[in-house]
Amino acid sequence: MRAAALTPASVPVPAPLAAPPELQPLGRGAPLGLRWRTMAQVGLRMMFHDKLKMLGTLIGAVFAVVLSNQQAGTFMGLIYKNIMFVDKTQADLWITPPATEQFQAGRAISTAALMQARGAPGVAWAEPLLVGGATVALPGGGSEPVTLIGTRLPRLAGGPWNLVAGSAASLGRADTMIFEDSERDKLGGLNLGSVREVSGHRTRVGGFAWGLLPFGPSYAFADFDYAQLLLHTATDQTSFVLVGVQAGADLAAVAAELQRRAPETKVMTRAAYRRSIITYLLTKSPIGITFGTSTLFGLIVGFVIVALSMFSAVVDNLREFGTLKAIGATTWDLAKLLLVQSVAYALLGTLIGLALVTRIAEGIRSPKLAVILPPELLVGTTVLMVLLCITASSLALLRIRNIEPAMVFR
């Protein structure tokens, strides 16, 4: 029996093998998810291939994160020191001199406002608060300034807080004050029971508080009547009136009633007073300008480094980008590649930068200076760095638009 002749038509032809997804040509009909995944893979491989250039770009992002957060954190620490007293008081409302914008010694108001507040509907309690500058005579000569706070027993609505030695009730004893613990050496080696001359009057140390250091001389606390004597304030004068509102009372309505009863004063809620202090620091003090400029400088320098590094990476890889266009990648596909790279740089730079700035904040933290890094700042930094790196990559995209696939064959 003769074998059947094999003709070309009868020979089975094997089906072509499908190329892996990452090696398939990027035709216009490729699925959107595949195009994104492919360009992301290519972008990350190109990014990690040139490690030296990647390191330079990361340094720019890390520099921007560290400098901007260090400046912003220090600025927020200074803001905290200025609003600290308002935050720590038990007052819902503040009755202040009419032009008050920040917490400091200034023009006094009549204690008549105190009496009017105590008789107003919705008011649970009202207490006076005296603020002024005093001097502590040092044993070896000379003196040091303190910010004297006069608060009334037994409520002590105006402090002291954070006591580390002694008792707040010691202010009830004659000629007694409470000082800042971190300033003990500066004030001549204070201890419990030490006697110092404060504004010409012999004063005994009844306790120490910690961390009550504003942007200026440290706080020192005394009974309201003794503070009036030390500050030479008339008995019918006070700096502020602190007001507590009854549970369930309308805060805005009580504030409006107090303003009507004492039109020569300014009545603010605690939140409004905080906003007033922050606004003053941002717009009318050199603190906001100085730290705002430093923060902006860090972001600009980081932006320039990231932009130049990414642009340089594009220039160094023109043939590779031309090859991608030759196999079907569009300018929009290459934009996806740069977008993935910029987000990767932003996230890596932010992670490294925040780790460094957190360590720096812990290293320099003290009662006199604290770098505050709230969660909102950390989240905002991440978002800002992503936007900054994406903006920087757009400069490189301008160069990519002019790349032609034919350059591969030259």
Side-chain angles (χ1 to χ4, degrees), residues 86 91-101 109-110 112-114 116-118 120-121 123 125-126 239-245 250-276:
V86 176
D92 300 308
L93 298 172
W94 285 71
I95 301 178
T96 72
T100 298
E101 294 182 285
I109 59 176
S110 172
L114 174 64
Q116 292 164 344
R118 286 176 172 170
V123 172
W125 56 266
S239 300
F240 304 94
V241 175
L242 308 180
V243 178
V245 175
D250 188 325
L251 190 63
V254 175
E257 175 62 20
L258 293 178
Q259 188 67 78
R260 186 189 68 80
R261 293 185 175 215
E264 72 284 357
T265 66
K266 182 178 181 180
V267 180
M268 291 183 284
T269 63
R270 176 163 37 188
Y273 200 2
R274 291 179 83 256
R275 287 195 300 270
S276 173

Side-chain angles (χ1 to χ4, degrees), residues 63-144:
F63 178 84
V65 171
V66 172
L67 182 57
S68 60
N69 275 269
Q70 192 272 334
Q71 294 295 312
T74 303
F75 177 58
M76 296 189 73
L78 293 176
I79 286 182
Y80 169 74
K81 285 184 174 297
N82 281 272
I83 65 174
M84 169 179 60
F85 200 96
V86 176
D87 281 344
K88 287 184 175 293
T89 57
Q90 306 169 20
D92 300 308
L93 298 172
W94 285 71
I95 301 178
T96 72
T100 298
E101 294 182 285
Q102 56 180 330
F103 181 75
Q104 64 178 15
R107 175 183 168 187
I109 59 176
S110 172
T111 52
L114 174 64
M115 300 298 108
Q116 292 164 344
R118 286 176 172 170
V123 172
W125 56 266
E127 296 289 352
L129 183 74
L130 193 60
V131 182
T135 57
V136 179
L138 304 179
S143 62
E144 287 289 340

Side-chain angles (χ1 to χ4, degrees), residues 300-382:
I300 291 175
V301 172
F303 172 82
V304 170
I305 295 176
V306 173
L308 290 178
S309 298
M310 296 195 72
F311 189 84
S312 175
V314 169
V315 172
D316 292 344
N317 294 281
L318 287 180
R319 294 187 65 83
E320 285 78 1
F321 285 111
T323 302
L324 289 172
K325 277 197 169 184
I327 65 174
T330 64
T331 300
W332 174 236
D333 288 325
L334 299 183
K336 297 173 186 175
L337 183 152
L338 291 179
L339 177 63
V340 170
Q341 286 186 344
S342 60
V343 172
Y345 279 128
L347 295 179
L348 284 175
T350 301
L351 180 63
I352 298 171
L354 290 180
L356 289 175
V357 81
T358 302
R359 289 296 185 92
I360 293 172
E362 293 175 354
I364 66 177
R365 186 180 300 276
S366 70
K368 296 182 179 181
L369 177 64
V371 178
I372 297 179
L373 301 171
E376 296 83 1
L377 178 61
L378 304 183
V379 173
T381 297
T382 304

Side-chain angles (χ1 to χ4, degrees), residues 27-45:
R28 293 187 179 276
L32 181 61
L34 174 62
R35 302 179 76 91
W36 266 105
R37 185 169 68 252
T38 302
M39 299 316 297
Q41 291 174 348
V42 173
L44 292 177
R45 288 176 182 177

Side-chain angles (χ1 to χ4, degrees), residues 35-285:
R35 302 179 76 91
W36 266 105
R37 185 169 68 252
T38 302
M39 299 316 297
Q41 291 174 348
V42 173
L44 292 177
R45 288 176 182 177
M46 291 178 64
M47 172 179 162
F48 283 96
H49 174 70
D50 193 344
K51 294 182 173 56
L52 188 60
K53 196 168 292 295
M54 182 185 73
L55 179 61
T57 307
L58 280 178
I59 287 175
V62 170
F63 178 84
V65 171
V66 172
L67 182 57
S68 60
N69 275 269
Q70 192 272 334
Q71 294 295 312
T74 303
F75 177 58
M76 296 189 73
L78 293 176
I79 286 182
Y80 169 74
K81 285 184 174 297
N82 281 272
I83 65 174
M84 169 179 60
F85 200 96
V86 176
D87 281 344
K88 287 184 175 293
T89 57
Q90 306 169 20
D92 300 308
L93 298 172
W94 285 71
I95 301 178
T96 72
T100 298
E101 294 182 285
Q102 56 180 330
F103 181 75
Q104 64 178 15
R107 175 183 168 187
I109 59 176
S110 172
T111 52
L114 174 64
M115 300 298 108
Q116 292 164 344
R118 286 176 172 170
V123 172
W125 56 266
E127 296 289 352
L129 183 74
L130 193 60
V131 182
T135 57
V136 179
L138 304 179
S143 62
E144 287 289 340
V146 294
T147 301
L148 180 58
I149 305 295
T151 181
R152 176 153 288 174
L153 292 158
R155 184 176 296 278
L156 294 175
W161 311 276
N162 298 344
L163 288 175
V164 294
S167 168
S170 65
L171 297 182
R173 298 196 293 266
D175 305 339
T176 301
M177 288 176 57
I178 290 176
F179 294 88
E180 165 62 33
D181 184 70
S182 63
E183 298 281 276
R184 291 169 63 176
D185 291 337
K186 184 178 179 180
L187 297 177
L190 295 182
N191 288 298
L192 286 176
S194 296
V195 176
R196 293 290 184 272
E197 188 176 282
V198 178
S199 296
H201 294 267
R202 287 174 58 83
T203 302
R204 185 174 300 277
V205 177
F208 295 101
W210 188 89
L212 304 184
L213 279 167
F215 191 61
S218 62
Y219 291 131
F221 297 85
D223 175 68
F224 182 81
D225 295 332
Y226 188 47
Q228 282 186 321
L229 175 66
L230 295 177
L231 298 176
H232 308 289
T233 303
T235 56
D236 63 344
Q237 299 287 303
T238 185
S239 300
F240 304 94
V241 175
L242 308 180
V243 178
V245 175
Q246 294 175 356
D250 188 325
L251 190 63
V254 175
E257 175 62 20
L258 293 178
Q259 188 67 78
R260 186 189 68 80
R261 293 185 175 215
E264 72 284 357
T265 66
K266 182 178 181 180
V267 180
M268 291 183 284
T269 63
R270 176 163 37 188
Y273 200 2
R274 291 179 83 256
R275 287 195 300 270
S276 173
I277 296 172
I278 294 173
T279 301
Y280 178 88
L281 293 175
L282 291 175
T283 61
K284 297 183 180 180
S285 77

